[in-house]
C-alpha cells in the first residue's frame, strides 16, 4: 500500500491503521491490479472475499493519486441479497434493512449494470415496497434477476469502476485538472461498519477547523439511528456534535465515543500533518473510522491552517509557505466597498467573486486588453463570458454579466483570478452592440463610464464609492514573513500614485521600481497643463506650462518619498505616447482651445501635426527628453527639490531616476549631463547636498544588445518587458488582443507573451542584456518592471538571470513574494507536499 501505486485514499487508510485507529478491515487494489481488471483480468474473488467476515457487507471506494482528479462513485453495501436482508431485518428491523438493500440495488443498477437511472431514481416508496419495486425494475431492465452472489456483485463492481476510470471522458476531465495521461486508479475494498443496530448507533463526519476562516472549530454532523428503527425517516435529522440546547448531541448520547473521536481527530492532524475530515460510524457506542479526507477549505482558511500547523510544530515554517499556492492568495487581497460609503445602486446580480472593483465600462475583451495596456482600470461587461474572454478577464479589474450563476464561466474564472465579479444581473439591460448598459431604473451608461462592482454583495454601483483595503489578518502577515525569510530576490512595486504607494507599503514592497510619471497627469484637472506643455509653440510658452507642472510634480514626489520613507523610489521620466494626451474628439478640442485661448482650427491643425502613425514607436520616452529637454529638466528639478523637502523630515532620500525607451548610449550621456546640471543648480540654490542614482530602461532590443556600452553610464538597468515584448515580436501592445486568442488556441504562442514572459525570444534578449551589462559594470543593479515582474513563472527566469529585484503592480506584490520564496525553497529541496 504505497501512495504512487495505490492512491491517496489507500495511503491514508494505511496510515490510520498504523495509528491503531479502529478502521474496518480493508484491502487495497493497486493501480496495476485495477488496470488489469479494466482489461478483463480479475483477481480471485473468493480469495479477496476471504479477507472479510463471511456475512460482512463491503464497500468499494476510488483511490486516485489526487482526489481532485475525480473518479467513479463509491459503491456501498455490496453483499446485500435476499438472504442477508432477512438476517439483517432481525438485527436492525425490516425498514432499515430494506433501505440498505434498496440503496445498493439502485447504485448497482445505475453505476454497475448501467441501466436507465430514471427507472431507479424515481422510486419513492420506502421499505419493502420500494425494495420490491427496485428489484422488479432491475429484472425487467436487465432481463435477469438481481445478482445474489456476493462474489459476482463484487466482481462486477470492481470491473465497472475500473472501466469508468479508463473511459475517454473521465480521462479528458482529469487531464484538464492536471492529471497525467496514464494516471492510475486504486480501489479500496472495505468492510462496512454499519451505524445501525443496538445501543447508540449512527454515522457522521467531523473535523476540527472552520473551513472558511481556518480557525479551530469542531465541525461536522452526526446522524443517530438509535431513536427509531427507521433509517430513512431519520435521514434528515442531523444531530449536533457538541452539547447544544437546540437538540440532542453526540456528546450527550455517547460521551465516550465523542471524546474518542476528538482525540482521533487530533491524532490524525498531528500525524498526517493535515486537517482531516473523519468519516465515522458508531455502533453500540463503539467508534469506527471509515475514512479520512483532507478538509476542503477556502484560500483564507488554507493559509491559517498552514500557519497554525507550523506554529504547533507539526510542519516547518518553510513547508507552510510551500503549502500556499501564490496565485491563491490574491483572493485575500481585495478591497471592499467601505461600509459607510455613498452607494448608488444601479443594478444587482449574484455575488460571484468577492471584492470591490472600480473601472471604466468596456464591452469586449479586446477593449479590456487595450484598456489594460493603457494602464486604465476597466470593468468587462458581457452577456456571459466564454473561454474567448479569458484574456479580457485577465485585463479587467471586474466582470459584470447579464446571465449566469455561481458556477457559470464568469463566476468560476473570476473567483480563480480573484477578480470581483457580479453575474446574472438580468434586470439590467445589456446592449452590447450599442455599447450601452441600462441600469434597473433606466439610467444609461456608455463605454468609458465609471462603475463599481461589489462582488461581495452583488451590487453594481454608479461611479467610484470609497473603498477599504482588504483585511489582511495576522496569519497572512506571519506566512508572508516566513516567505520573506526564504526568498533571495527583492520585490518592489510599480506605483504612480500615493494610493498605489500606500498599497505597496502595506504589502511590504521593498520600494517603488517604476513610477510612471505621465500617469500622474491623466486626471481631468491635470491633463490641461500637460497638453498646454505639449502644444507650446515657443520656448516661453513651454516654460510657462512647465512652471505650472513643476509644483504639481514636486508635491507628487514629496508625497511618494514620504510614504516610502527609507525605501528606494524609482521615478521614470515622462514616457507619454503622445496620442494618449491629445484630445480625441470635438469637445476635447474645444476645451483645449479654450484653455489655450486659441481658435479651434489652430488647435486642430496642431493636433494633426503632432499625430503619429505609430505613436507607440514615435516621439516617446527619452526621444522626447532629447528633443524637448526642458521637460526632463523640470522633472529632475521637481525630483531633487522633493528629495530635499522629504529628507528634511525623515531619512535621507536617494532618488532613482530612470530613462525610458533608450536605444543608444549617447541618449544616456546627453540626458545625464543635463540632469547633473539640474542637480548642481538645486544643490547650489538650496545649499544642501544629495545624491541620486540614474538608471536606464532596457525595453528596446537595441538597448539589450548594447547593454555593455550603456551600463557604464548608469547605476541600474530595468528591463521593460512590455515594450520589449512588443518590439521583439513586432506586435503592438494595444492591438495584440485582436488575434491573441486565435494565436494561443492554434498553438502559435503557448501563452500570451504580454502575460507570461517569452523566455525563448524576449528572454534571450533580457539574458543577453543582463550578461553584457554585468560584463562591463559588475556592480550594476538589474531588475524588471514590465508586467511580467508579478508572474510567478517569469520571476523564476528573472532570478536565474541574476536580477536583484522584480517590480510589479502593488496587488501582485504578495503573490510575487510568495512565488519568489517557493522558487528559493524548491532549490533547497523543500517540496510542496503531495495532497492527501
Ligand atoms: C515596459 O515597457 O515594460 C514598461 C514597464 O513601461 P510601460 O509599460 O510604461 O511602457
Ligand atoms: Mg515601456
Amino acid at each position: 500500500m504505497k501512495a504512487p501505486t495505490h492512491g491517496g485514499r489507500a495511503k491514508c487508510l494505511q496510515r490510520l491503521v498504523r495509528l491503531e485507529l479502529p478502521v474496518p478491515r480493508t484491502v487495497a487494489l493497486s493501480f496495476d491490479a485495477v488496470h488489469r481488471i479494466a482489461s478483463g483480468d480479475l483477481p480471485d474473488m473468493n480469495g479477496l472475499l476471504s479477507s472479510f467476515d463471511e456475512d460482512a457487507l463491503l464497500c468499494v471506494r476510488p483511490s486516485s493519486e489526487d482526489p481532485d482528479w475525480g473518479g467513479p462513485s463509491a459503491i456501498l453495501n455490496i453483499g446485500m441479497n435476499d438472504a442477508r436482508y432477512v438476517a439483517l431485518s432481525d438485527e436492525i428491523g425490516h425498514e432499515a434493512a430494506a433501505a440498505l438493500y434498496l440503496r445498493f440495488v439502485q447504485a448497482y443498477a445505475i453505476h454497475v449494470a448501467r441501466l436507465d437511472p430514471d427507472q431507479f431514481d424515481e422510486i419513492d416508496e420506502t421499505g419493502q415496497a420500494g425494495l420490491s419495486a427496485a428489484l422488479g425494475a432491475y429484472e425487467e431492465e436487465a432481463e435477469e434477476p438481481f445478482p445474489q452472489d456476493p462474489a459476482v456483485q463484487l466482481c462486477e463492481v470492481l470491473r465497472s469502476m475500473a472501466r469508468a476510470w479508463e473511459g475517454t471522458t473521465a480521462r479528458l476531465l482529469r487531464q484538464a485538472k492536471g492529471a497525467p495521461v496514464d494516471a492510475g486508479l486504486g480501489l479500496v475494498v472495505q468492510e462496512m461498519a454499519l451505524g445501525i443496530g443496538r445501543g447508540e448507533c449512527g454515522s457522521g463526519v467531523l473535523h476540527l477547523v472552520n473551513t472558511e476562516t481556518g480557525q479551530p472549530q469542531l465541525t461536522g454532523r452526526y446522524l443517530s439511528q438509535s431513536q427509531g428503527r427507521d433509517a430513512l425517516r431519520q435521514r434528515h435529522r442531523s444531530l449536533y456534535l457538541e452539547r447544544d440546547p437546540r437538540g440532542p448531541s453526540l456528546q450527550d448520547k455517547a460521551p465516550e465515543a465523542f471524546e474518542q473521536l476528538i482525540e482521533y481527530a487530533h491524532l490524525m492532524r498531528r500525524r498526517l500533518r493535515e486537517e482531516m475530515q473523519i468519516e465515522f460510524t458508531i455502533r453500540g457506542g463503539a467508534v469506527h473510522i471509515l475514512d479520512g479526507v483532507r478538509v476542503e477549505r477556502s484560500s483564507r482558511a488554507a493559509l491559517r491552517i498552514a500557519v497554525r500547523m507550523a506554529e504547533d510544530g507539526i510542519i516547518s515554517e518553510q513547508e507552510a509557505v510551500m503549502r500556499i499556492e501564490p496565485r491563491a492568495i490574491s483572493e485575500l487581497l481585495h478591497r471592499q466597498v467601505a461600509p459607510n460609503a455613498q452607494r448608488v445602486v444601479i443594478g444587482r446580480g449574484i455575488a460571484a467573486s468577492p471584492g470591490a472593483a472600480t473601472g471604466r465600462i468596456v464591452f469586449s475583451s479586446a477593449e479590456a486588453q487595450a484598456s489594460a495596456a493603457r494602464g486604465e482600470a476597466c470593468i468587462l461587461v458581457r452577456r456571459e463570458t466564454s473561454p474567448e474572454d479569458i484574456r479580457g478577464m485577465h485585463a479587467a479589474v471586474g466582470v459584470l454579466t447579464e446571465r449566469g450563476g455561481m458556477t457559470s464561466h464568469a463566476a468560476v474564472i473570476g473567483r480563480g483570478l480573484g477578480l470581483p465579479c457580479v453575474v446574472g444581473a438580468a434586470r439590467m439591460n445589456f446592449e452590447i452592440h450599442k455599447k450601452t448598459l441600462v441600469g434597473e431604473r433606466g439610467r444609461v451608461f456608455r463605454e468609458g463610464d465609471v462603475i463599481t462592482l461589489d462582488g461581495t454583495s452583488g451590487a453594481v454601483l454608479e461611479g467610484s464609492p470609497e473603498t477599504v483595503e482588504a483585511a489582511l489578518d495576522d496569519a497572512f502577515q506571519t506566512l508572508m514573513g516566513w516567505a520573506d525569510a526564504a526568498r533571495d530576490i527583492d520585490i518592489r512595486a510599480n506605483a504612480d500614485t500615493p494610493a498605489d504607494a500606500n498599497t505597496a507599503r502595506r504589502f511590504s514592497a521593498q520600494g517603488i521600481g517604476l513610477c510612471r510619471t505621465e500617469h500622474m497627469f491623466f486626471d481631468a484637472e491635470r491633463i490641461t497643463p500637460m497638453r498646454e506643455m505639449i502644444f507650446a509653440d515657443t520656448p516661453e510658452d513651454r516654460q510657462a506650462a512647465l512652471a505650472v507642472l513643476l509644483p504639481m510634480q514636486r508635491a507628487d514626489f514629496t508625497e511618494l518619498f514620504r510614504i516610502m520613507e527609507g525605501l528606494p523610489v524609482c521615478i521614470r521620466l515622462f514616457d507619454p505616447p503622445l496620442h494618449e494626451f491629445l484630445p480625441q474628439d470635438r469637445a476635447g478640442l474645444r476645451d483645449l482651445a479654450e484653455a489655450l485661448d486659441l481658435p479651434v482650427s489652430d488647435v486642430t491643425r496642431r493636433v494633426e501635426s503632432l499625430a503619429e502613425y505609430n505613436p507607440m514607436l514615435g516621439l516617446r520616452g527619452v526621444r522626447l527628453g532629447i528633443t524637448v529637454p526642458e521637460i526632463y529638466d523640470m522633472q529632475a528639478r521637481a525630483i531633487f527639490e522633493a528629495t530635499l523637502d522629504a529628507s528634511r523630515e525623515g531619512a535621507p532620500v536617494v532618488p532613482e531616476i530612470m530613462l525610458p525607451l533608450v536605444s543608444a548610449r549617447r541618449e544616456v550621456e546627453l540626458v545625464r549631463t543635463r540632469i547633473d546640471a539640474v542637480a548642481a543648480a538645486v544643490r547650489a540654490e538650496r545649499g544642501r547636498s544629495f545624491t541620486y542614482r540614474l538608471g536606464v530602461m532596457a525595453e528596446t532590443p537595441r538597448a539589450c544588445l548594447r547593454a555593455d556600452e550603456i551600463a557604464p553610464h548608469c547605476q541600474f538597468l530595468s528591463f521593460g518587458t512590455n515594450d520589449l515584448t512588443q518590439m521583439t515580436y513586432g506586435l503592438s501592445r494595444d492591438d495584440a488582443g485582436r488575434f491573441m486568442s486565435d494565436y494561443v488556441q492554434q498553438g502559435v504562442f503557448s501563452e500570451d507573451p504580454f502575460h507570461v514572459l517569452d523566455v525563448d525570444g524576449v528572454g534571450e534578449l533580457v539574458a543577453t542584456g543582463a550578461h553584457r551589462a554585468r560584463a562591463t559594470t559588475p556592480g550594476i543593479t538589474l531588475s524588471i518592471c514590465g508586467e511580467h515582474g508579478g508572474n510567478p513563472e517569469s520571476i523564476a527566469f528573472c532570478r536565474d538571470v541574476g536580477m536583484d529585484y522584480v517590480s510589479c503592480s502593488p496587488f501582485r506584490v504578495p503573490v510575487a513574494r510568495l512565488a519568489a520564496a517557493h522558487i528559493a525553497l524548491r532549490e533547497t529541496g523543500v517540496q510542496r507536499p503531495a495532497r492527501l
Side-chain angles (χ1 to χ4, degrees):
M1 265 213 224
K2 276 204 196 116
T5 54
H6 289 73
R9 172 170 271 139
K11 179 184 168 197
C12 181
L13 281 167
Q14 184 198 36
R15 293 167 78 180
L16 301 187
V17 171
R18 287 210 187 124
L19 292 176
E20 297 183 358
L21 298 189
V23 177
R25 247 171 268 172
T26 303
V27 172
L29 300 176
S30 69
F31 293 172
D32 276 352
V34 174
H35 185 63
R36 282 198 301 275
I37 293 173
S39 22
D41 178 7
L42 281 131
D44 166 20
M45 280 305 135
N46 290 325
L48 185 54
L49 282 172
S50 68
S51 312
F52 303 99
D53 267 357
E54 202 181 332
D55 54 0
L57 296 185
L58 304 178
C59 64
V60 181
R61 299 168 198 261
S63 175
S64 60
E65 211 172 307
D66 183 326
D68 287 348
W69 296 347
S73 324
I75 306 278
L76 311 182
N77 304 325
I78 301 160
M80 247 335 218
N81 53 21
D82 296 348
R84 189 87 190 91
Y85 166 56
V86 173
L88 259 183
S89 298
D90 285 346
E91 214 180 306
I92 62 172
H94 285 293
E95 289 285 319
L100 288 180
Y101 197 4
L102 171 62
R103 263 182 269 152
F104 177 50
V105 175
Q106 283 172 315
Y108 191 95
I110 296 169
H111 299 293
V112 181
R114 311 230 167 247
L115 304 180
D116 178 6
D118 292 346
Q119 294 281 339
F120 296 89
D121 284 342
E122 279 164 12
I123 295 171
D124 45 18
E125 295 115 308
T126 57
Q128 254 163 323
L131 176 60
S132 303
L135 287 169
Y138 186 94
E139 189 156 350
E140 199 178 308
E141 287 276 311
E143 296 176 3
E144 61 183 22
F146 187 74
Q148 297 293 307
D149 180 353
V152 171
Q153 293 174 352
L154 180 60
C155 170
E156 292 307 317
V157 167
L158 294 177
R159 196 197 329 254
S160 74
M161 289 176 81
R163 289 209 174 140
W165 179 257
E166 308 240 325
T168 312
T169 319
R171 185 165 44 74
L172 291 178
L173 278 175
R174 62 179 176 266
Q175 274 176 254
K177 291 180 180 164
V181 193
D182 58 351
L185 176 75
L187 289 174
V188 168
V189 186
Q190 192 178 57
E191 197 165 306
M192 302 261 315
L194 293 174
I196 302 176
R198 291 181 230 292
E200 177 53 31
C201 292
S203 56
V205 291
L206 170 153
H207 57 82
L208 300 171
V209 283
N210 178 310
T211 55
E212 277 307 309
T213 64
Q215 294 283 7
Q217 182 186 318
L218 182 63
T219 312
R221 57 182 190 280
Y222 173 66
L223 174 64
S224 175
Q225 303 287 359
S226 60
Q227 289 167 322
R229 306 183 85 196
D230 179 350
L232 274 189
R233 246 180 268 141
Q234 290 283 333
R235 217 185 234 177
H236 302 292
R237 287 183 52 187
S238 289
L239 300 182
Y240 302 98
L241 286 168
E242 285 177 288
R243 264 187 202 116
D244 195 300
R246 290 168 294 177
S249 71
L250 174 61
Q251 195 173 16
D252 295 319
K253 292 171 143 289
E256 275 175 29
F258 174 77
E259 291 304 328
Q260 222 168 33
L261 273 169
I262 291 178
E263 204 181 295
Y264 291 157
H266 281 288
L267 180 69
M268 280 166 72
R269 175 175 186 265
R270 232 177 19 254
R271 300 293 288 277
L272 304 187
R273 306 163 77 244
E274 186 49 283
E275 289 291 352
M276 301 295 287
Q277 169 157 296
I278 302 182
E279 196 184 318
F280 65 91
T281 56
I282 292 186
R283 192 167 196 189
V287 174
H288 300 274
I289 306 286
L290 306 187
D291 202 2
V293 291
R294 182 180 175 275
V295 172
E296 288 296 324
R297 58 200 73 180
S298 69
S299 300
R300 185 175 295 256
L303 195 143
R304 183 169 290 279
I305 287 171
V307 168
R308 283 187 45 242
M309 289 254 174
E311 285 174 342
D312 291 348
I314 297 171
I315 59 175
S316 68
E317 291 171 0
Q318 290 144 340
E319 193 174 337
V321 168
M322 290 306 277
R323 283 187 180 200
I324 306 303
E325 193 49 53
R327 284 179 224 277
I329 55 164
S330 62
E331 234 178 78
L332 314 180
L333 307 176
H334 288 285
R335 61 177 70 208
Q336 307 288 341
V337 175
N340 46 7
Q342 279 275 347
R343 292 166 157 255
V344 181
V345 177
I346 56 170
R348 284 189 186 281
I350 295 164
S353 177
T358 301
R360 297 185 183 281
I361 296 176
V362 295
F363 290 96
S364 75
S365 284
E367 285 154 11
Q369 288 171 78
S371 172
R374 289 194 301 273
E376 264 179 40
C378 66
I379 304 282
L380 179 61
V381 175
R382 305 284 293 151
R383 266 191 211 296
E384 62 197 328
T385 63
S386 65
E388 284 83 58
D389 291 303
I390 297 246
R391 274 156 227 293
M393 295 180 75
H394 270 284
V397 296
V399 178
L400 170 65
T401 68
E402 179 182 23
R403 301 184 188 140
M406 269 318 264
T407 54
S408 65
H409 182 265
V412 172
I413 302 293
R415 282 197 297 277
L417 296 175
L419 196 66
C421 183
V422 174
V423 300
R427 294 224 297 270
M428 299 180 84
N429 204 352
F430 287 63
E431 297 175 343
I432 304 287
H433 292 299
K434 287 201 218 152
K435 297 199 171 179
T436 53
L437 171 71
V438 184
E440 285 181 14
R441 296 185 174 193
R443 224 10 251 270
V444 178
F445 294 83
R446 297 184 200 286
E447 188 177 40
D449 288 349
V450 173
I451 58 169
T452 294
L453 298 185
D454 182 350
T456 312
S457 73
V460 184
L461 311 170
E462 180 194 291
S464 47
E466 198 193 328
T467 53
V468 289
E469 300 300 340
L472 299 174
D473 56 22
D474 51 331
F476 174 84
Q477 304 296 1
T478 305
L479 188 100
M480 294 311 289
W482 296 339
D484 289 344
R487 71 185 156 85
D488 51 13
I489 185 167
D490 286 357
I491 314 287
R492 292 199 196 177
N494 293 352
D496 315 321
T497 61
D500 288 348
N502 278 316
T503 309
R505 256 246 97 123
R506 234 191 22 266
F507 290 155
S508 305
Q510 291 161 288
I512 293 180
L514 173 63
C515 167
R516 294 171 162 109
T517 49
E518 66 282 357
H519 286 191
M520 295 168 150
F521 290 89
F522 281 153
D523 268 7
E525 77 272 17
R526 283 183 165 212
I527 198 157
T528 304
M530 178 74 169
R531 283 176 173 164
E532 285 175 23
M533 190 269 293
I534 291 169
F535 275 74
D537 262 335
T538 64
E540 295 74 36
D541 286 352
R542 176 156 292 126
Q543 276 308 340
L546 287 169
V548 177
L549 295 177
L550 175 69
M552 292 179 183
Q553 287 268 268
R554 189 173 47 224
D556 290 337
F557 298 143
T558 309
E559 199 170 353
L560 284 187
F561 291 147
R562 283 194 183 131
I563 294 169
M564 300 306 292
E565 192 188 338
L567 296 174
V569 175
C570 175
I571 296 165
R572 181 180 76 184
L573 301 183
F574 272 139
D575 176 17
L578 282 179
H579 66 300
E580 288 180 13
F581 288 91
L582 300 180
Q584 305 291 337
D585 53 17
R586 197 117 198 107
L589 288 168
R590 206 180 42 240
D591 287 352
L592 186 59
E594 263 167 26
L596 297 173
D597 198 17
L598 286 174
V600 173
S601 56
D602 280 13
V603 173
T604 309
R605 212 168 309 116
R606 188 98 177 91
V607 166
E608 280 166 5
S609 76
L610 281 171
E612 293 175 323
Y613 286 106
N614 191 345
M616 291 307 274
L617 298 177
L619 185 59
R620 270 185 66 189
V622 72
R623 299 166 194 164
L624 187 70
I626 303 270
T627 50
V628 191
E630 303 93 320
I631 298 177
Y632 281 9
D633 289 352
M634 178 281 288
Q635 288 201 292
R637 173 171 283 277
I639 292 169
F640 296 142
E641 290 179 357
T643 297
L644 290 176
D645 289 349
S647 301
R648 203 174 358 219
E649 289 151 29
V653 175
V654 178
E656 297 181 347
I657 298 181
M658 186 154 73
L659 308 181
L661 224 75
V662 165
S663 57
R665 183 203 57 195
R666 185 80 187 127
E667 288 168 327
V668 187
E669 286 172 351
L670 287 173
V671 177
R672 163 148 236 157
T673 307
R674 287 191 74 112
I675 295 179
D676 279 343
V678 175
V682 174
R683 283 189 197 106
E685 283 161 29
R686 297 273 190 116
R688 288 171 57 208
S689 182
F690 58 85
T691 52
Y692 79 98
R693 279 160 58 82
L694 186 83
V696 163
M697 278 188 86
E699 54 181 343
T700 65
R702 195 174 190 283
C704 294
L705 296 171
R706 308 303 291 168
D708 46 351
E709 60 175 24
I710 291 173
H713 297 273
C714 55
Q715 276 87 41
F716 63 94
L717 211 60
S718 190
F719 290 89
T721 44
N722 302 335
D723 273 307
L724 192 58
T725 301
Q726 164 169 263
M727 292 184 217
T728 306
Y729 279 85
L731 177 59
S732 153
R733 288 163 68 166
D734 292 344
D735 301 317
R738 299 176 71 158
F739 59 90
M740 187 58 75
S741 44
D742 285 338
Y743 255 54
V744 173
Q745 261 162 27
Q746 296 188 41
V748 184
F749 300 159
S750 55
E751 290 279 356
D752 176 349
F754 288 105
H755 182 55
V756 179
L757 187 76
D758 158 47
V759 169
D760 299 337
V762 181
E764 187 164 343
L765 280 169
V766 172
T768 305
H771 179 73
R772 292 187 181 173
R774 283 257 158 88
T776 55
T777 320
I780 194 164
T781 304
L782 297 178
S783 63
I784 182 175
C785 59
E787 276 313 300
H788 308 95
N791 178 273
E793 293 96 61
S794 311
I795 293 172
F797 170 82
C798 295
R799 180 175 171 273
D800 285 347
V801 299
M803 290 195 193
D804 298 284
Y805 68 86
V806 301
S807 190
C808 56
S809 56
F811 271 96
R812 296 175 89 183
V813 165
V815 178
R817 286 162 66 198
L818 192 52
H822 276 214
I823 295 162
L825 287 173
R826 254 196 306 272
E827 214 169 81
T828 58
V830 182
Q831 294 297 335
R832 197 194 146 86
R835 285 268 299 272
L836 280 170

